[in-house]
C-alpha cells in the first residue's frame, strides 16, 4: 500500500504567493488543496500539480468555510497544514481620505478572514493533536507604511499568530507567520506597469539586497515552516524581504553602500 501524502490547504492558492506555495508544496510531496474566492483560478492552479484539488472558499464566510473544511477532511483525510494567503488591498491614502468601507473590507478579509480560517482548520488540528499553520502577514505589519488599514491588519495577523501559538502549543499545533517584502506577483507587476503611486517605484532599491522577492522564495519559507523540519518553531514571524525591514537604518544615512568592487578591496 502506498503511504498517503500529507494534506495541505492553501487559502488564496489561486494567485500570487498562494499559487507559488501550491506549486512548491506539491513539489515537496504534499497533496495540496488550492482554495480561493476565485474558484476558477484555484482549479487552474490545482490542475498544474499532482493530485491537486481546487475549491471555492470565502474567508469572510465562516459558516461556508466550516462546511468546506468538513467536506475536505471527509473526502481527502485530515489536514496537516494550513496556509492563509488570501488578501485584500487598498490604495495608498491619508487617514482623511481612506473610507470606512475600505477600512472594514480590508480588516474583514485580512484579519477576520485569517482568524476564521485558523480557528476552523486549526481547531480540527488541535482536537487531533497535530498540525501546522502559516499565516501570510507582511513587512508593512512590522513598521509604518503608507498603507494604513492594510498595515494595521498585518500587524494584527502577527499578533493573532503569536497568541494562537500559545493557545495550541500543548495541543501539537504550531502557528507561524511569514512577512513578505514586495513580492513580484502579477498584481504588483500590473501596478508597476501602470506607474501606480508607491507601487510604481522600484521597491527593490530600498532592500538590503537591492532587489524584490520572487513568489517562490516566499513559498519555500512557508513550506519549511509548515513541515516537520520546523518542528520546534512556533509563534514567530519570518520576514522574507531581501532585507527590506532591516535596511531602514541605512535610509537615514542616505541609502545603501554601493556594491564592493575587486578594486576597492585591494
Ligand atoms: N505580493 C506582495 O508584495 C506581498 C507583500 C507582503 C504581503 N503579501 C501578502 O501575501 C498574500 C498574498 O498576496 P498576493 O500578493 O499573492 O496577492 P494576489 O492578489 O495575487 O493573491 C491573493 C489571493 O487571495 C484571494 N482572496 C481574496 N479575497 C479572498 C477571500 N475573501 N477568500 C478567499 N480568497 C480570497 C484572491 O482571489 C487571490 O487569489 C496576501 O496576504 C498579501 O497581503 C503580499
Amino acid at each position: 500500500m502506498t503511504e498517503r501524502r500529507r494534506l495541505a490547504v492553501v487559502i488564496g492558492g489561486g494567485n500570487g504567493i498562494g499559487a507559488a506555495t501550491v506549486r512548491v508544496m506539491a513539489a515537496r510531496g504534499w497533496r495540496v488543496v488550492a482554495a480561493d474566492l476565485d474558484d476558477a483560478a484555484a482549479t487552474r492552479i490545482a490542475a498544474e500539480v499532482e493530485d491537486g484539488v481546487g475549491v471555492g472558499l470565502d474567508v469572510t464566510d465562516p459558516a461556508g468555510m466550516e462546511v468546506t473544511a468538513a467536506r475536505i477532511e471527509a473526502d481527502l483525510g485530515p489536514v496537516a497544514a494550513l496556509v492563509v494567503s488570501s488578501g485584500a488591498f487598498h490604495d495608498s491614502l491619508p487617514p482623511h481620505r481612506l473610507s470606512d468601507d475600505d477600512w472594514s473590507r480590508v480588516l474583514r478579509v485580512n484579519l477576520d478572514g485569517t482568524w476564521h480560517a485558523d480557528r476552523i482548520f486549526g481547531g480540527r488540528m488541535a482536537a487531533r493533536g497535530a498540525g501546522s499553520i502559516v499565516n501570510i502577514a507582511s513587512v508593512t505589519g512590522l513598521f509604518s507604511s503608507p498603507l494604513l488599514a492594510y498595515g494595521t491588519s498585518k500587524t494584527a495577523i502577527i499578533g493573532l499568530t503569536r497568541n494562537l501559538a500559545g493557545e495550541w502549543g500543548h495541543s501539537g499545533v504550531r502557528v507561524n507567520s511569514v512577512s513578505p517584502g514586495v513580492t513580484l506577483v502579477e498584481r504588483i507587476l500590473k501596478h508597476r506597469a501602470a506607474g501606480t503611486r508607491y507601487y510604481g517605484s522600484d521597491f527593490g532599491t530600498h532592500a538590503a539586497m537591492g532587489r524584490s522577492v520572487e513568489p517562490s522564495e516566499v513559498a519555500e519559507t512557508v513550506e519549511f515552516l509548515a513541515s516537520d523540519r520546523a518542528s520546534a518553531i512556533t509563534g514567530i514571524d519570518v520576514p522574507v524581504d531581501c532585507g527590506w525591514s532591516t535596511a531602514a537604518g541605512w535610509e537615514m544615512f542616505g541609502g545603501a553602500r554601493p556594491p564592493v568592487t575587486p578594486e576597492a578591496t585591494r
Side-chain angles (χ1 to χ4, degrees), residues 11-19 35-38 41 57-61 84-89 109-110 136-140 150 154 157 178-188 199:
I11 301 180
N15 289 287
I17 290 169
D36 204 294
L37 186 62
D38 181 348
L57 178 152
D58 181 354
V59 291
T60 67
D61 171 17
V84 186
S85 186
S86 36
F89 312 92
V109 174
N110 293 359
I136 307 300
S138 163
V139 289
T140 61
Y150 179 79
K154 294 301 184 173
I157 287 173
V178 168
S179 280
V182 173
T183 305
L184 300 177
V185 300
E186 223 169 285
R187 184 177 57 78
I188 296 282
Y199 289 96

Side-chain angles (χ1 to χ4, degrees), residues 47-119:
E48 278 184 26
V49 303
E50 193 187 340
D51 277 344
V53 176
V55 299
L57 178 152
D58 181 354
V59 291
T60 67
D61 171 17
M65 202 157 31
E66 295 267 15
V67 172
T68 304
R71 205 185 64 225
I72 288 171
E73 295 208 326
D75 292 351
L76 305 173
V79 175
L82 171 72
V83 178
V84 186
S85 186
S86 36
F89 312 92
H90 61 85
D91 292 338
S92 170
L93 294 165
H96 59 284
R97 293 264 179 267
L98 183 70
S99 69
D100 284 348
D101 282 352
D102 264 351
W103 174 270
S104 303
R105 177 181 57 80
V106 168
L107 269 289
R108 197 164 57 244
V109 174
N110 293 359
L111 178 57
D112 298 357
T114 303
W115 155 240
H116 292 311
D118 286 0
R119 82 170 166 77

